[in-house]
Amino acid sequence: MSILKIAVQKNGRLSEKSLQLLNECGIKLSNGERRLKAASPNFPVEILFLRDDDIPQYVEEGVADAGILGENEVWEKSKNITVIKQLGFASCKLSLAIPKEALYTGLEYFNNKKVATSYPRILNNFFTENKLNVAIETISGSVEIAPAIGLADAIFDIVSTGSTLQINGLKEVEVVTKSQAVLISNQNLDAEKQQILDKLLFRIQSVKNAAENKYILLNAPNESIAKISAILPGMKSPTVLPLAEPGWSSIHSVIREDTFWDIIDQLKGLGAEGILVTNVEKMIL
């Protein structure tokens, strides 16, 4: 039986989120120590723990069949792999930052300056598109200290909260692009491995659907059922059950997380009471 080998980052926040996603997909892993790889006893996958910047190459070469990593690494390595799905976690910005005392006048500020980064390909493409002459200093790790030690005039790096920039006397001035975790795959999977990947994608989508929706239960006067049903269509239509009290019903449905508060206000305006909202563990459409 074929085993789908999936590469994930060996440590860090993205690694933890990747393993959490697999766990939510019902995939158990047998190796808690995460030395090099972990097999699943209940799903035909094997997890390889690698450096995130090595994952695109290993997937391209078929050492791993698939991988979970940041889009930024996919762009930077530019390997012949397929991006299967954006996963919605590990979101960050890749930004340009300069010393906080410097006066920023726009992108032309960087013309004829030196910028330090761990992502030279992404940065070079950006400056080329904007027709700027910039010297790129490629370094790995501790990019933020480059201006302070005279190595560069500015930096280009991942920014999450911005606190690291502040500590190093820098300020963010341009967001070049935004990144999130993605699932990638080798371009030449055989039929059996592709079938396993498709099953995994089905589970991931079910988890993603659940995260984006809430289950809602409420009591409402019968004369409001039609209007409430129009607001809460759910996956097909809401479930309506009569209550013991005449003239009232219980309505069950699904509501999107991003419209939650606006819809709650509308429901209250239609006389809804006893509104309960709970998380959805899995959602299969």
Side-chain angles (χ1 to χ4, degrees):
M1 181 178 179
S2 291
I3 299 292
L4 187 75
K5 295 181 180 179
I6 304 175
V8 303
Q9 188 174 331
K10 62 182 179 181
N11 50 45
R13 180 169 168 267
L14 195 151
S15 175
E16 297 304 321
K17 289 287 188 179
S18 301
L19 296 177
Q20 179 183 336
L21 174 63
L22 294 173
N23 181 64
E24 290 172 348
C25 288
I27 298 173
K28 298 178 181 178
L29 297 176
S30 61
N31 183 355
E33 297 180 6
R34 241 188 294 167
R35 293 176 182 171
L36 176 61
K37 61 183 181 179
S40 172
N42 69 333
F43 195 79
V45 297
E46 183 177 74
I47 307 303
L48 308 180
F49 297 98
L50 305 171
R51 284 172 49 95
D52 58 345
D53 54 356
D54 288 335
I55 292 176
Q57 178 179 346
Y58 283 127
V59 172
E60 179 188 52
E61 295 177 353
V63 176
D65 303 304
I68 299 175
L69 72 165
E71 284 177 299
N72 53 297
E73 292 296 344
V74 175
W75 299 327
E76 181 60 32
K77 299 306 177 182
S78 190
K79 298 295 184 179
N80 291 319
I81 51 89
T82 300
V83 176
I84 302 295
K85 188 175 187 60
Q86 292 183 317
L87 298 176
F89 60 84
S91 297
C92 64
K93 299 176 289 183
L94 281 83
S95 300
L96 287 159
I98 64 175
K100 61 182 179 182
E101 66 275 7
L103 176 63
Y104 186 62
T105 55
L107 278 178
E108 64 274 10
Y109 172 92
F110 297 100
N111 207 29
N112 298 317
K113 286 188 169 60
K114 184 184 288 186
V115 181
T117 185
S118 299
Y119 302 98
R121 184 188 298 272
I122 297 172
L123 186 58
N124 182 66
N125 289 342
F126 176 74
F127 283 135
T128 298
E129 289 171 4
N130 286 279
K131 298 179 172 58
L132 294 173
N133 180 33
V134 180
I136 297 176
E137 185 74 28
T138 303
I139 59 177
S140 59
S142 302
V143 173
E144 293 84 0
I145 68 170
I149 63 177
L151 183 63
D153 302 298
I155 70 163
F156 173 66
D157 202 14
I158 290 176
V159 176
S160 295
T161 64
S163 59
T164 303
L165 294 181
Q166 293 178 11
I167 291 171
N168 287 279
L170 301 172
K171 62 182 178 182
E172 180 184 25
V173 292
E174 291 285 344
V175 177
V176 172
T177 188
K178 295 181 179 180
S179 172
Q180 64 176 287
V182 292
L183 176 67
I184 64 173
S185 77
N186 180 273
Q187 294 183 341
N188 299 298
L189 293 182
D190 63 37
E192 287 188 15
K193 289 186 176 181
Q194 184 62 53
Q195 187 176 35
I196 297 169
L197 180 59
D198 290 343
K199 289 180 179 179
L200 175 61
L201 281 168
F202 176 80
R203 295 191 183 194
I204 289 174
Q205 189 59 51
S206 297
V207 170
K208 187 175 174 61
N209 289 340
E212 294 173 349
N213 291 274
K214 299 287 186 182
Y215 190 73
I216 184 169
L217 305 86
L218 58 91
N219 298 329
N222 288 344
E223 60 266 24
S224 295
I225 290 177
K227 291 182 179 179
I228 290 176
S229 296
I231 296 172
L232 293 174
M235 290 182 283
K236 183 169 289 186
S237 66
T239 299
V240 180
L241 301 172
L243 294 179
E245 183 176 343
W248 282 77
S249 295
S250 174
I251 301 176
H252 300 210
S253 191
V254 174
I255 181 172
R256 284 189 59 84
E257 173 76 24
D258 55 5
T259 61
F260 173 75
W261 290 110
D262 289 340
I263 289 180
I264 291 297
D265 289 339
Q266 294 179 57
L267 294 174
K268 290 175 65 178
L270 291 169
E273 298 179 357
I275 302 172
L276 299 177
V277 180
T278 64
N279 292 328
V280 179
E281 185 175 339
K282 303 289 185 298
M283 186 171 171
I284 299 170
L285 301 178

